[in-house]
PDB file of all heavy atoms in Angstrom:
ATOM      1  N   GLY R  47      -0.805  30.237 -25.081  1.00 48.00           N
ATOM      2  CA  GLY R  47      -1.300  29.841 -26.390  1.00 48.00           C
ATOM      3  C   GLY R  47      -2.792  30.110 -26.542  1.00 48.00           C
ATOM      4  O   GLY R  47      -3.254  30.621 -27.569  1.00 48.00           O
ATOM      5  N   MET R  48      -3.571  29.786 -25.504  1.00 50.00           N
ATOM      6  CA  MET R  48      -5.000  30.055 -25.551  1.00 50.00           C
ATOM      7  C   MET R  48      -5.267  31.560 -25.582  1.00 50.00           C
ATOM      8  O   MET R  48      -6.133  32.038 -26.318  1.00 50.00           O
ATOM      9  CB  MET R  48      -5.684  29.421 -24.331  1.00 50.00           C
ATOM     10  CG  MET R  48      -5.628  27.901 -24.300  1.00 50.00           C
ATOM     11  SD  MET R  48      -6.469  27.097 -25.689  1.00 50.00           S
ATOM     12  CE  MET R  48      -8.167  27.474 -25.293  1.00 50.00           C
ATOM     13  N   LEU R  49      -4.503  32.321 -24.773  1.00 49.00           N
ATOM     14  CA  LEU R  49      -4.679  33.771 -24.749  1.00 49.00           C
ATOM     15  C   LEU R  49      -4.329  34.387 -26.103  1.00 49.00           C
ATOM     16  O   LEU R  49      -5.026  35.292 -26.595  1.00 49.00           O
ATOM     17  CB  LEU R  49      -3.814  34.385 -23.650  1.00 49.00           C
ATOM     18  CG  LEU R  49      -3.907  35.908 -23.471  1.00 49.00           C
ATOM     19  CD1 LEU R  49      -5.329  36.323 -23.130  1.00 49.00           C
ATOM     20  CD2 LEU R  49      -2.944  36.358 -22.373  1.00 49.00           C
ATOM     21  N   ALA R  50      -3.247  33.878 -26.735  1.00 47.00           N
ATOM     22  CA  ALA R  50      -2.849  34.395 -28.042  1.00 47.00           C
ATOM     23  C   ALA R  50      -3.949  34.171 -29.068  1.00 47.00           C
ATOM     24  O   ALA R  50      -4.264  35.057 -29.875  1.00 47.00           O
ATOM     25  CB  ALA R  50      -1.553  33.723 -28.496  1.00 47.00           C
ATOM     26  N   GLY R  51      -4.549  32.966 -29.040  1.00 50.00           N
ATOM     27  CA  GLY R  51      -5.632  32.689 -29.970  1.00 50.00           C
ATOM     28  C   GLY R  51      -6.827  33.596 -29.745  1.00 50.00           C
ATOM     29  O   GLY R  51      -7.459  34.081 -30.695  1.00 50.00           O
ATOM     30  N   TYR R  52      -7.137  33.854 -28.482  1.00 48.00           N
ATOM     31  CA  TYR R  52      -8.283  34.724 -28.167  1.00 48.00           C
ATOM     32  C   TYR R  52      -8.023  36.153 -28.646  1.00 48.00           C
ATOM     33  O   TYR R  52      -8.894  36.783 -29.255  1.00 48.00           O
ATOM     34  CB  TYR R  52      -8.523  34.700 -26.667  1.00 48.00           C
ATOM     35  CG  TYR R  52      -9.721  35.534 -26.231  1.00 48.00           C
ATOM     36  CD1 TYR R  52     -11.012  35.030 -26.386  1.00 48.00           C
ATOM     37  CD2 TYR R  52      -9.546  36.791 -25.689  1.00 48.00           C
ATOM     38  CE1 TYR R  52     -12.110  35.777 -26.001  1.00 48.00           C
ATOM     39  CE2 TYR R  52     -10.642  37.554 -25.307  1.00 48.00           C
ATOM     40  CZ  TYR R  52     -11.924  37.042 -25.450  1.00 48.00           C
ATOM     41  OH  TYR R  52     -13.004  37.794 -25.085  1.00 48.00           O
ATOM     42  N   ILE R  53      -6.803  36.667 -28.372  1.00 49.00           N
ATOM     43  CA  ILE R  53      -6.467  38.027 -28.817  1.00 49.00           C
ATOM     44  C   ILE R  53      -6.510  38.110 -30.341  1.00 49.00           C
ATOM     45  O   ILE R  53      -7.019  39.077 -30.920  1.00 49.00           O
ATOM     46  CB  ILE R  53      -5.071  38.420 -28.282  1.00 49.00           C
ATOM     47  CG1 ILE R  53      -5.118  38.595 -26.762  1.00 49.00           C
ATOM     48  CG2 ILE R  53      -4.587  39.724 -28.941  1.00 49.00           C
ATOM     49  CD1 ILE R  53      -3.757  38.821 -26.130  1.00 49.00           C
ATOM     50  N   PHE R  54      -5.984  37.076 -31.001  1.00 50.00           N
ATOM     51  CA  PHE R  54      -5.960  37.060 -32.466  1.00 50.00           C
ATOM     52  C   PHE R  54      -7.385  37.149 -33.032  1.00 50.00           C
ATOM     53  O   PHE R  54      -7.651  37.872 -33.993  1.00 50.00           O
ATOM     54  CB  PHE R  54      -5.264  35.783 -32.948  1.00 50.00           C
ATOM     55  CG  PHE R  54      -5.161  35.655 -34.445  1.00 50.00           C
ATOM     56  CD1 PHE R  54      -4.122  36.249 -35.140  1.00 50.00           C
ATOM     57  CD2 PHE R  54      -6.115  34.947 -35.170  1.00 50.00           C
ATOM     58  CE1 PHE R  54      -4.027  36.134 -36.517  1.00 50.00           C
ATOM     59  CE2 PHE R  54      -6.036  34.831 -36.539  1.00 50.00           C
ATOM     60  CZ  PHE R  54      -4.977  35.430 -37.221  1.00 50.00           C
ATOM     61  N   LEU R  55      -8.285  36.422 -32.419  1.00 52.00           N
ATOM     62  CA  LEU R  55      -9.644  36.364 -32.947  1.00 52.00           C
ATOM     63  C   LEU R  55     -10.479  37.587 -32.570  1.00 52.00           C
ATOM     64  O   LEU R  55     -11.324  38.027 -33.357  1.00 52.00           O
ATOM     65  CB  LEU R  55     -10.345  35.092 -32.450  1.00 52.00           C
ATOM     66  CG  LEU R  55      -9.807  33.768 -32.998  1.00 52.00           C
ATOM     67  CD1 LEU R  55     -10.511  32.600 -32.321  1.00 52.00           C
ATOM     68  CD2 LEU R  55      -9.999  33.681 -34.505  1.00 52.00           C
ATOM     69  N   ARG R  56     -10.245  38.144 -31.376  1.00 56.00           N
ATOM     70  CA  ARG R  56     -11.151  39.161 -30.877  1.00 56.00           C
ATOM     71  C   ARG R  56     -10.629  40.588 -30.972  1.00 56.00           C
ATOM     72  O   ARG R  56     -11.413  41.525 -31.092  1.00 56.00           O
ATOM     73  CB  ARG R  56     -11.491  38.862 -29.404  1.00 56.00           C
ATOM     74  CG  ARG R  56     -12.272  37.573 -29.205  1.00 56.00           C
ATOM     75  CD  ARG R  56     -13.651  37.634 -29.873  1.00 56.00           C
ATOM     76  NE  ARG R  56     -14.445  38.718 -29.354  1.00 56.00           N
ATOM     77  CZ  ARG R  56     -15.259  38.614 -28.301  1.00 56.00           C
ATOM     78  NH1 ARG R  56     -15.374  37.452 -27.682  1.00 56.00           N
ATOM     79  NH2 ARG R  56     -15.963  39.643 -27.903  1.00 56.00           N
ATOM     80  N   TRP R  57      -9.294  40.786 -30.869  1.00 59.00           N
ATOM     81  CA  TRP R  57      -8.785  42.140 -30.753  1.00 59.00           C
ATOM     82  C   TRP R  57      -7.779  42.501 -31.846  1.00 59.00           C
ATOM     83  O   TRP R  57      -8.085  43.145 -32.811  1.00 59.00           O
ATOM     84  CB  TRP R  57      -8.160  42.361 -29.360  1.00 59.00           C
ATOM     85  CG  TRP R  57      -9.185  42.458 -28.281  1.00 59.00           C
ATOM     86  CD1 TRP R  57     -10.398  43.077 -28.349  1.00 59.00           C
ATOM     87  CD2 TRP R  57      -9.091  41.899 -26.982  1.00 59.00           C
ATOM     88  NE1 TRP R  57     -11.066  42.950 -27.165  1.00 59.00           N
ATOM     89  CE2 TRP R  57     -10.288  42.232 -26.295  1.00 59.00           C
ATOM     90  CE3 TRP R  57      -8.121  41.165 -26.309  1.00 59.00           C
ATOM     91  CZ2 TRP R  57     -10.532  41.862 -24.981  1.00 59.00           C
ATOM     92  CZ3 TRP R  57      -8.361  40.799 -25.004  1.00 59.00           C
ATOM     93  CH2 TRP R  57      -9.554  41.129 -24.354  1.00 59.00           C
ATOM     94  N   ASN R  58      -6.548  42.055 -31.666  1.00 56.00           N
ATOM     95  CA  ASN R  58      -5.464  42.531 -32.516  1.00 56.00           C
ATOM     96  C   ASN R  58      -4.690  41.326 -33.033  1.00 56.00           C
ATOM     97  O   ASN R  58      -4.073  40.589 -32.255  1.00 56.00           O
ATOM     98  CB  ASN R  58      -4.543  43.470 -31.723  1.00 56.00           C
ATOM     99  CG  ASN R  58      -3.497  44.129 -32.584  1.00 56.00           C
ATOM    100  OD1 ASN R  58      -2.722  43.447 -33.243  1.00 56.00           O
ATOM    101  ND2 ASN R  58      -3.469  45.454 -32.590  1.00 56.00           N
ATOM    102  N   ARG R  59      -4.702  41.152 -34.350  1.00 60.00           N
ATOM    103  CA  ARG R  59      -4.055  39.969 -34.914  1.00 60.00           C
ATOM    104  C   ARG R  59      -2.548  39.994 -34.724  1.00 60.00           C
ATOM    105  O   ARG R  59      -1.936  38.958 -34.475  1.00 60.00           O
ATOM    106  CB  ARG R  59      -4.411  39.839 -36.396  1.00 60.00           C
ATOM    107  CG  ARG R  59      -5.870  39.505 -36.630  1.00 60.00           C
ATOM    108  CD  ARG R  59      -6.139  39.037 -38.038  1.00 60.00           C
ATOM    109  NE  ARG R  59      -7.492  38.501 -38.153  1.00 60.00           N
ATOM    110  CZ  ARG R  59      -7.943  37.867 -39.221  1.00 60.00           C
ATOM    111  NH1 ARG R  59      -7.157  37.681 -40.263  1.00 60.00           N
ATOM    112  NH2 ARG R  59      -9.178  37.405 -39.240  1.00 60.00           N
ATOM    113  N   LYS R  60      -1.933  41.179 -34.836  1.00 62.00           N
ATOM    114  CA  LYS R  60      -0.474  41.257 -34.663  1.00 62.00           C
ATOM    115  C   LYS R  60      -0.077  40.875 -33.242  1.00 62.00           C
ATOM    116  O   LYS R  60       0.876  40.127 -33.033  1.00 62.00           O
ATOM    117  CB  LYS R  60       0.012  42.674 -34.984  1.00 62.00           C
ATOM    118  CG  LYS R  60      -0.015  43.014 -36.474  1.00 62.00           C
ATOM    119  CD  LYS R  60       0.578  44.388 -36.724  1.00 62.00           C
ATOM    120  CE  LYS R  60       0.573  44.712 -38.227  1.00 62.00           C
ATOM    121  NZ  LYS R  60       1.144  46.065 -38.483  1.00 62.00           N
ATOM    122  N   ASP R  61      -0.793  41.408 -32.254  1.00 59.00           N
ATOM    123  CA  ASP R  61      -0.485  41.052 -30.872  1.00 59.00           C
ATOM    124  C   ASP R  61      -0.724  39.565 -30.623  1.00 59.00           C
ATOM    125  O   ASP R  61       0.041  38.905 -29.906  1.00 59.00           O
ATOM    126  CB  ASP R  61      -1.341  41.870 -29.905  1.00 59.00           C
ATOM    127  CG  ASP R  61      -0.943  43.342 -29.879  1.00 59.00           C
ATOM    128  OD1 ASP R  61       0.157  43.656 -30.381  1.00 59.00           O
ATOM    129  OD2 ASP R  61      -1.726  44.162 -29.367  1.00 59.00           O
ATOM    130  N   GLY R  62      -1.788  39.035 -31.226  1.00 54.00           N
ATOM    131  CA  GLY R  62      -2.063  37.609 -31.066  1.00 54.00           C
ATOM    132  C   GLY R  62      -0.965  36.751 -31.646  1.00 54.00           C
ATOM    133  O   GLY R  62      -0.527  35.771 -31.037  1.00 54.00           O
ATOM    134  N   VAL R  63      -0.480  37.130 -32.839  1.00 58.00           N
ATOM    135  CA  VAL R  63       0.606  36.383 -33.470  1.00 58.00           C
ATOM    136  C   VAL R  63       1.878  36.475 -32.625  1.00 58.00           C
ATOM    137  O   VAL R  63       2.592  35.481 -32.423  1.00 58.00           O
ATOM    138  CB  VAL R  63       0.863  36.889 -34.901  1.00 58.00           C
ATOM    139  CG1 VAL R  63       2.158  36.304 -35.460  1.00 58.00           C
ATOM    140  CG2 VAL R  63      -0.312  36.535 -35.805  1.00 58.00           C
ATOM    141  N   ALA R  64       2.177  37.676 -32.114  1.00 62.00           N
ATOM    142  CA  ALA R  64       3.390  37.869 -31.309  1.00 62.00           C
ATOM    143  C   ALA R  64       3.354  37.005 -30.055  1.00 62.00           C
ATOM    144  O   ALA R  64       4.335  36.323 -29.717  1.00 62.00           O
ATOM    145  CB  ALA R  64       3.541  39.342 -30.939  1.00 62.00           C
ATOM    146  N   LEU R  65       2.225  37.022 -29.345  1.00 55.00           N
ATOM    147  CA  LEU R  65       2.109  36.208 -28.147  1.00 55.00           C
ATOM    148  C   LEU R  65       2.149  34.725 -28.480  1.00 55.00           C
ATOM    149  O   LEU R  65       2.733  33.914 -27.754  1.00 55.00           O
ATOM    150  CB  LEU R  65       0.819  36.557 -27.395  1.00 55.00           C
ATOM    151  CG  LEU R  65       0.616  35.866 -26.038  1.00 55.00           C
ATOM    152  CD1 LEU R  65       1.784  36.156 -25.101  1.00 55.00           C
ATOM    153  CD2 LEU R  65      -0.695  36.324 -25.408  1.00 55.00           C
ATOM    154  N   GLY R  66       1.545  34.357 -29.621  1.00 58.00           N
ATOM    155  CA  GLY R  66       1.600  32.966 -30.052  1.00 58.00           C
ATOM    156  C   GLY R  66       3.023  32.504 -30.318  1.00 58.00           C
ATOM    157  O   GLY R  66       3.398  31.388 -29.969  1.00 58.00           O
ATOM    158  N   LEU R  67       3.829  33.375 -30.936  1.00 62.00           N
ATOM    159  CA  LEU R  67       5.229  33.031 -31.208  1.00 62.00           C
ATOM    160  C   LEU R  67       6.019  32.889 -29.915  1.00 62.00           C
ATOM    161  O   LEU R  67       6.876  32.007 -29.787  1.00 62.00           O
ATOM    162  CB  LEU R  67       5.859  34.093 -32.116  1.00 62.00           C
ATOM    163  CG  LEU R  67       5.361  34.107 -33.569  1.00 62.00           C
ATOM    164  CD1 LEU R  67       5.945  35.297 -34.312  1.00 62.00           C
ATOM    165  CD2 LEU R  67       5.717  32.804 -34.273  1.00 62.00           C
ATOM    166  N   ILE R  68       5.752  33.780 -28.942  1.00 61.00           N
ATOM    167  CA  ILE R  68       6.422  33.671 -27.638  1.00 61.00           C
ATOM    168  C   ILE R  68       6.052  32.352 -26.972  1.00 61.00           C
ATOM    169  O   ILE R  68       6.902  31.642 -26.415  1.00 61.00           O
ATOM    170  CB  ILE R  68       6.045  34.861 -26.744  1.00 61.00           C
ATOM    171  CG1 ILE R  68       6.651  36.153 -27.302  1.00 61.00           C
ATOM    172  CG2 ILE R  68       6.524  34.632 -25.306  1.00 61.00           C
ATOM    173  CD1 ILE R  68       6.171  37.410 -26.609  1.00 61.00           C
ATOM    174  N   SER R  69       4.765  32.006 -27.025  1.00 60.00           N
ATOM    175  CA  SER R  69       4.311  30.743 -26.454  1.00 60.00           C
ATOM    176  C   SER R  69       4.980  29.551 -27.136  1.00 60.00           C
ATOM    177  O   SER R  69       5.416  28.600 -26.487  1.00 60.00           O
ATOM    178  CB  SER R  69       2.789  30.646 -26.586  1.00 60.00           C
ATOM    179  OG  SER R  69       2.311  29.424 -26.075  1.00 60.00           O
ATOM    180  N   LEU R  70       5.085  29.622 -28.472  1.00 60.00           N
ATOM    181  CA  LEU R  70       5.728  28.550 -29.222  1.00 60.00           C
ATOM    182  C   LEU R  70       7.199  28.426 -28.855  1.00 60.00           C
ATOM    183  O   LEU R  70       7.727  27.320 -28.696  1.00 60.00           O
ATOM    184  CB  LEU R  70       5.573  28.796 -30.719  1.00 60.00           C
ATOM    185  CG  LEU R  70       6.219  27.756 -31.651  1.00 60.00           C
ATOM    186  CD1 LEU R  70       5.604  26.383 -31.420  1.00 60.00           C
ATOM    187  CD2 LEU R  70       6.069  28.183 -33.109  1.00 60.00           C
ATOM    188  N   LEU R  71       7.883  29.582 -28.691  1.00 60.00           N
ATOM    189  CA  LEU R  71       9.294  29.564 -28.312  1.00 60.00           C
ATOM    190  C   LEU R  71       9.472  28.916 -26.947  1.00 60.00           C
ATOM    191  O   LEU R  71      10.378  28.098 -26.750  1.00 60.00           O
ATOM    192  CB  LEU R  71       9.850  30.992 -28.299  1.00 60.00           C
ATOM    193  CG  LEU R  71      11.303  31.147 -27.826  1.00 60.00           C
ATOM    194  CD1 LEU R  71      12.248  30.375 -28.740  1.00 60.00           C
ATOM    195  CD2 LEU R  71      11.700  32.614 -27.777  1.00 60.00           C
ATOM    196  N   TYR R  72       8.610  29.269 -26.018  1.00 58.00           N
ATOM    197  CA  TYR R  72       8.691  28.664 -24.684  1.00 58.00           C
ATOM    198  C   TYR R  72       8.520  27.147 -24.776  1.00 58.00           C
ATOM    199  O   TYR R  72       9.246  26.374 -24.146  1.00 58.00           O
ATOM    200  CB  TYR R  72       7.632  29.266 -23.767  1.00 58.00           C
ATOM    201  CG  TYR R  72       7.685  28.738 -22.346  1.00 58.00           C
ATOM    202  CD1 TYR R  72       8.431  29.393 -21.375  1.00 58.00           C
ATOM    203  CD2 TYR R  72       7.007  27.573 -21.988  1.00 58.00           C
ATOM    204  CE1 TYR R  72       8.492  28.897 -20.086  1.00 58.00           C
ATOM    205  CE2 TYR R  72       7.066  27.078 -20.699  1.00 58.00           C
ATOM    206  CZ  TYR R  72       7.805  27.748 -19.752  1.00 58.00           C
ATOM    207  OH  TYR R  72       7.879  27.257 -18.481  1.00 58.00           O
ATOM    208  N   PHE R  73       7.548  26.719 -25.573  1.00 56.00           N
ATOM    209  CA  PHE R  73       7.302  25.289 -25.711  1.00 56.00           C
ATOM    210  C   PHE R  73       8.510  24.574 -26.318  1.00 56.00           C
ATOM    211  O   PHE R  73       8.884  23.482 -25.898  1.00 56.00           O
ATOM    212  CB  PHE R  73       6.056  25.056 -26.567  1.00 56.00           C
ATOM    213  CG  PHE R  73       5.716  23.602 -26.728  1.00 56.00           C
ATOM    214  CD1 PHE R  73       5.248  22.865 -25.660  1.00 56.00           C
ATOM    215  CD2 PHE R  73       5.874  22.966 -27.950  1.00 56.00           C
ATOM    216  CE1 PHE R  73       4.933  21.521 -25.801  1.00 56.00           C
ATOM    217  CE2 PHE R  73       5.559  21.633 -28.097  1.00 56.00           C
ATOM    218  CZ  PHE R  73       5.086  20.911 -27.026  1.00 56.00           C
ATOM    219  N   ILE R  74       9.145  25.208 -27.319  1.00 56.00           N
ATOM    220  CA  ILE R  74      10.345  24.618 -27.934  1.00 56.00           C
ATOM    221  C   ILE R  74      11.456  24.491 -26.901  1.00 56.00           C
ATOM    222  O   ILE R  74      12.172  23.486 -26.835  1.00 56.00           O
ATOM    223  CB  ILE R  74      10.795  25.452 -29.144  1.00 56.00           C
ATOM    224  CG1 ILE R  74       9.783  25.314 -30.288  1.00 56.00           C
ATOM    225  CG2 ILE R  74      12.186  25.024 -29.622  1.00 56.00           C
ATOM    226  CD1 ILE R  74      10.032  26.261 -31.438  1.00 56.00           C
ATOM    227  N   LEU R  75      11.621  25.525 -26.062  1.00 54.00           N
ATOM    228  CA  LEU R  75      12.633  25.462 -25.014  1.00 54.00           C
ATOM    229  C   LEU R  75      12.331  24.330 -24.043  1.00 54.00           C
ATOM    230  O   LEU R  75      13.243  23.651 -23.566  1.00 54.00           O
ATOM    231  CB  LEU R  75      12.708  26.798 -24.267  1.00 54.00           C
ATOM    232  CG  LEU R  75      13.283  27.972 -25.054  1.00 54.00           C
ATOM    233  CD1 LEU R  75      13.160  29.260 -24.258  1.00 54.00           C
ATOM    234  CD2 LEU R  75      14.740  27.715 -25.415  1.00 54.00           C
ATOM    235  N   CYS R  76      11.054  24.113 -23.762  1.00 53.00           N
ATOM    236  CA  CYS R  76      10.683  22.971 -22.928  1.00 53.00           C
ATOM    237  C   CYS R  76      11.139  21.670 -23.575  1.00 53.00           C
ATOM    238  O   CYS R  76      11.716  20.796 -22.932  1.00 53.00           O
ATOM    239  CB  CYS R  76       9.172  22.934 -22.713  1.00 53.00           C
ATOM    240  SG  CYS R  76       8.509  24.268 -21.709  1.00 53.00           S
ATOM    241  N   MET R  77      10.878  21.553 -24.864  1.00 48.00           N
ATOM    242  CA  MET R  77      11.253  20.345 -25.589  1.00 48.00           C
ATOM    243  C   MET R  77      12.762  20.162 -25.639  1.00 48.00           C
ATOM    244  O   MET R  77      13.265  19.047 -25.718  1.00 48.00           O
ATOM    245  CB  MET R  77      10.703  20.407 -27.013  1.00 48.00           C
ATOM    246  CG  MET R  77       9.182  20.412 -27.101  1.00 48.00           C
ATOM    247  SD  MET R  77       8.462  18.867 -26.524  1.00 48.00           S
ATOM    248  CE  MET R  77       8.987  17.751 -27.826  1.00 48.00           C
ATOM    249  N   LYS R  78      13.523  21.267 -25.565  1.00 45.00           N
ATOM    250  CA  LYS R  78      14.983  21.194 -25.630  1.00 45.00           C
ATOM    251  C   LYS R  78      15.611  20.947 -24.272  1.00 45.00           C
ATOM    252  O   LYS R  78      16.826  20.876 -24.154  1.00 45.00           O
ATOM    253  CB  LYS R  78      15.547  22.499 -26.217  1.00 45.00           C
ATOM    254  CG  LYS R  78      15.234  22.691 -27.697  1.00 45.00           C
ATOM    255  CD  LYS R  78      15.912  21.650 -28.554  1.00 45.00           C
ATOM    256  CE  LYS R  78      15.705  21.931 -30.029  1.00 45.00           C
ATOM    257  NZ  LYS R  78      16.343  20.913 -30.877  1.00 45.00           N
ATOM    258  N   GLY R  79      14.808  20.876 -23.215  1.00 43.00           N
ATOM    259  CA  GLY R  79      15.375  20.513 -21.922  1.00 43.00           C
ATOM    260  C   GLY R  79      15.213  21.527 -20.831  1.00 43.00           C
ATOM    261  O   GLY R  79      15.682  21.309 -19.716  1.00 43.00           O
TER     262      GLY R  79
END
Side-chain angles (χ1 to χ4, degrees):
M48 295 298 291
L49 181 60
Y52 182 79
I53 291 173
F54 181 85
L55 292 175
R56 295 296 301 270
W57 287 321
N58 187 303
R59 292 195 170 189
K60 287 184 179 179
D61 290 345
V63 169
L65 185 57
L67 290 174
I68 292 171
S69 179
L70 179 61
L71 176 61
Y72 183 92
F73 181 70
I74 291 171
L75 290 174
C76 292
M77 296 294 291
K78 291 295 186 181

